[in-house]
Short mmCIF file of all heavy atoms in Angstrom, two decimals:
data_model
loop_
_atom_site.label_atom_id
_atom_site.label_comp_id
_atom_site.label_asym_id
_atom_site.label_seq_id
_atom_site.Cartn_x
_atom_site.Cartn_y
_atom_site.Cartn_z
N GLY A 11 87.48 170.22 66.55
CA GLY A 11 87.81 171.25 67.54
C GLY A 11 89.31 171.42 67.74
O GLY A 11 90.06 170.48 67.55
N ALA A 12 89.70 172.62 68.15
CA ALA A 12 91.17 172.91 68.39
C ALA A 12 91.70 172.00 69.53
O ALA A 12 92.84 171.55 69.48
CB ALA A 12 91.37 174.37 68.63
N TYR A 13 90.92 171.89 70.57
CA TYR A 13 91.32 171.11 71.68
C TYR A 13 91.51 169.63 71.33
O TYR A 13 92.49 168.97 71.70
CB TYR A 13 90.35 171.22 72.85
CG TYR A 13 90.72 170.50 74.10
CD1 TYR A 13 91.75 170.98 74.92
CD2 TYR A 13 90.07 169.33 74.53
CE1 TYR A 13 92.14 170.31 76.10
CE2 TYR A 13 90.41 168.69 75.64
CZ TYR A 13 91.47 169.13 76.39
OH TYR A 13 91.89 168.51 77.61
N ALA A 14 90.57 169.07 70.48
CA ALA A 14 90.65 167.72 70.03
C ALA A 14 91.88 167.52 69.21
O ALA A 14 92.54 166.45 69.25
CB ALA A 14 89.38 167.36 69.26
N GLU A 15 92.22 168.55 68.39
CA GLU A 15 93.47 168.46 67.57
C GLU A 15 94.69 168.32 68.47
O GLU A 15 95.58 167.57 68.21
CB GLU A 15 93.59 169.68 66.67
CG GLU A 15 92.54 169.75 65.55
CD GLU A 15 92.83 168.82 64.41
OE1 GLU A 15 93.97 168.33 64.29
OE2 GLU A 15 91.92 168.60 63.60
N ARG A 16 94.71 169.11 69.48
CA ARG A 16 95.92 169.06 70.44
C ARG A 16 95.98 167.72 71.15
O ARG A 16 97.06 167.13 71.25
CB ARG A 16 95.72 170.15 71.47
CG ARG A 16 95.95 171.61 70.97
CD ARG A 16 96.13 172.55 72.08
NE ARG A 16 96.52 173.86 71.57
CZ ARG A 16 97.07 174.81 72.31
NH1 ARG A 16 97.34 174.57 73.60
NH2 ARG A 16 97.40 175.99 71.80
N ILE A 17 94.86 167.19 71.53
CA ILE A 17 94.88 165.87 72.23
C ILE A 17 95.37 164.78 71.27
O ILE A 17 96.22 163.95 71.63
CB ILE A 17 93.47 165.51 72.78
CG1 ILE A 17 93.04 166.55 73.83
CG2 ILE A 17 93.43 164.08 73.30
CD1 ILE A 17 93.91 166.63 75.06
N LYS A 18 94.85 164.87 70.00
CA LYS A 18 95.31 163.83 69.06
C LYS A 18 96.78 163.96 68.80
O LYS A 18 97.52 162.93 68.74
CB LYS A 18 94.51 164.05 67.76
CG LYS A 18 94.91 163.05 66.62
CD LYS A 18 94.11 163.24 65.42
CE LYS A 18 94.51 162.26 64.28
NZ LYS A 18 95.90 162.47 63.86
N ASN A 19 97.27 165.16 68.59
CA ASN A 19 98.71 165.37 68.28
C ASN A 19 99.58 164.88 69.48
O ASN A 19 100.62 164.33 69.29
CB ASN A 19 99.00 166.81 68.02
CG ASN A 19 98.39 167.29 66.68
OD1 ASN A 19 98.11 166.47 65.83
ND2 ASN A 19 98.19 168.56 66.53
N GLY A 20 99.08 165.13 70.69
CA GLY A 20 99.81 164.68 71.83
C GLY A 20 99.85 163.18 71.98
O GLY A 20 100.91 162.63 72.34
N LEU A 21 98.78 162.52 71.69
CA LEU A 21 98.74 161.07 71.72
C LEU A 21 99.62 160.41 70.71
O LEU A 21 100.24 159.42 70.96
CB LEU A 21 97.28 160.59 71.53
CG LEU A 21 96.34 160.82 72.67
CD1 LEU A 21 94.93 160.38 72.31
CD2 LEU A 21 96.76 160.06 73.93
N GLU A 22 99.71 161.08 69.53
CA GLU A 22 100.53 160.49 68.47
C GLU A 22 102.05 160.55 68.85
O GLU A 22 102.83 159.79 68.24
CB GLU A 22 100.27 161.28 67.19
CG GLU A 22 98.94 160.93 66.51
CD GLU A 22 98.67 161.72 65.28
OE1 GLU A 22 99.40 162.75 65.05
OE2 GLU A 22 97.77 161.36 64.51
N GLN A 23 102.39 161.40 69.76
CA GLN A 23 103.78 161.53 70.14
C GLN A 23 104.16 160.64 71.29
O GLN A 23 105.26 160.65 71.77
CB GLN A 23 104.09 163.01 70.43
CG GLN A 23 103.95 163.94 69.24
CD GLN A 23 103.99 165.39 69.61
OE1 GLN A 23 104.36 165.72 70.74
NE2 GLN A 23 103.63 166.25 68.70
N ARG A 24 103.16 159.93 71.86
CA ARG A 24 103.44 159.10 73.00
C ARG A 24 103.37 157.61 72.63
O ARG A 24 102.65 157.19 71.70
CB ARG A 24 102.40 159.33 74.08
CG ARG A 24 102.33 160.78 74.59
CD ARG A 24 101.20 160.96 75.57
NE ARG A 24 100.95 162.36 75.75
CZ ARG A 24 99.80 162.87 76.26
NH1 ARG A 24 98.90 162.07 76.64
NH2 ARG A 24 99.65 164.14 76.38
N THR A 25 104.16 156.84 73.32
CA THR A 25 104.10 155.41 73.19
C THR A 25 103.42 154.83 74.40
O THR A 25 103.75 155.11 75.55
CB THR A 25 105.53 154.74 73.13
OG1 THR A 25 106.23 155.32 71.99
CG2 THR A 25 105.45 153.31 72.99
N ILE A 26 102.31 154.09 74.14
CA ILE A 26 101.53 153.61 75.26
C ILE A 26 101.80 152.09 75.39
O ILE A 26 101.72 151.32 74.50
CB ILE A 26 100.01 153.83 75.00
CG1 ILE A 26 99.72 155.26 74.81
CG2 ILE A 26 99.14 153.17 76.13
CD1 ILE A 26 98.30 155.55 74.47
N SER A 27 102.17 151.69 76.62
CA SER A 27 102.41 150.32 76.91
C SER A 27 101.65 149.96 78.16
O SER A 27 101.70 150.75 79.14
CB SER A 27 103.85 149.95 76.97
OG SER A 27 104.39 149.85 78.14
N ILE A 28 100.92 148.82 78.17
CA ILE A 28 100.15 148.42 79.32
C ILE A 28 100.73 147.11 79.90
O ILE A 28 100.94 146.14 79.19
CB ILE A 28 98.68 148.20 78.88
CG1 ILE A 28 98.15 149.45 78.26
CG2 ILE A 28 97.87 147.77 80.07
CD1 ILE A 28 96.77 149.29 77.73
N SER A 29 101.04 147.19 81.15
CA SER A 29 101.64 145.99 81.83
C SER A 29 100.59 144.83 81.99
O SER A 29 99.39 145.06 81.86
CB SER A 29 102.16 146.34 83.23
OG SER A 29 101.03 146.67 84.06
N LYS A 30 101.09 143.66 82.17
CA LYS A 30 100.25 142.49 82.37
C LYS A 30 99.31 142.69 83.59
O LYS A 30 98.11 142.40 83.55
CB LYS A 30 101.08 141.20 82.58
CG LYS A 30 100.29 139.97 82.77
CD LYS A 30 101.21 138.78 82.81
CE LYS A 30 100.46 137.45 82.96
NZ LYS A 30 99.77 137.35 84.17
N GLU A 31 99.84 143.35 84.67
CA GLU A 31 99.04 143.58 85.84
C GLU A 31 97.91 144.55 85.54
O GLU A 31 96.80 144.38 86.01
CB GLU A 31 99.92 144.15 86.93
CG GLU A 31 100.98 143.19 87.53
CD GLU A 31 102.15 142.99 86.61
OE1 GLU A 31 102.34 143.79 85.67
OE2 GLU A 31 102.92 142.05 86.83
N LYS A 32 98.21 145.62 84.74
CA LYS A 32 97.20 146.59 84.39
C LYS A 32 96.10 145.97 83.48
O LYS A 32 94.94 146.28 83.65
CB LYS A 32 97.83 147.79 83.70
CG LYS A 32 98.55 148.75 84.63
CD LYS A 32 97.66 149.44 85.64
CE LYS A 32 98.31 150.43 86.53
NZ LYS A 32 97.37 151.01 87.51
N THR A 33 96.54 145.07 82.61
CA THR A 33 95.62 144.39 81.73
C THR A 33 94.66 143.56 82.55
O THR A 33 93.38 143.55 82.31
CB THR A 33 96.34 143.56 80.68
OG1 THR A 33 97.14 144.33 79.99
CG2 THR A 33 95.36 142.78 79.79
N GLU A 34 95.20 142.82 83.53
CA GLU A 34 94.36 141.99 84.36
C GLU A 34 93.40 142.83 85.21
O GLU A 34 92.28 142.47 85.47
CB GLU A 34 95.23 141.09 85.22
CG GLU A 34 96.02 140.02 84.41
CD GLU A 34 97.00 139.26 85.31
OE1 GLU A 34 97.23 139.68 86.45
OE2 GLU A 34 97.56 138.26 84.85
N GLU A 35 93.94 143.98 85.67
CA GLU A 35 93.05 144.87 86.48
C GLU A 35 91.95 145.36 85.68
O GLU A 35 90.79 145.45 86.16
CB GLU A 35 93.94 146.04 86.98
CG GLU A 35 93.19 147.00 87.90
CD GLU A 35 94.12 148.15 88.34
OE1 GLU A 35 95.34 147.95 88.47
OE2 GLU A 35 93.55 149.25 88.59
N ALA A 36 92.21 145.76 84.39
CA ALA A 36 91.16 146.30 83.53
C ALA A 36 90.14 145.23 83.25
O ALA A 36 88.94 145.47 83.21
CB ALA A 36 91.76 146.77 82.18
#
Side-chain angles (χ1 to χ4, degrees):
Y13 183 71
E15 291 284 344
R16 288 194 174 199
I17 295 301
K18 178 179 181 294
N19 291 338
L21 287 174
E22 286 177 345
Q23 295 169 13
R24 299 173 197 164
T25 301
I26 300 175
S27 103
I28 303 175
S29 66
K30 182 174 182 293
E31 291 77 13
K32 285 293 183 183
T33 300
E34 291 174 349
E35 182 181 331

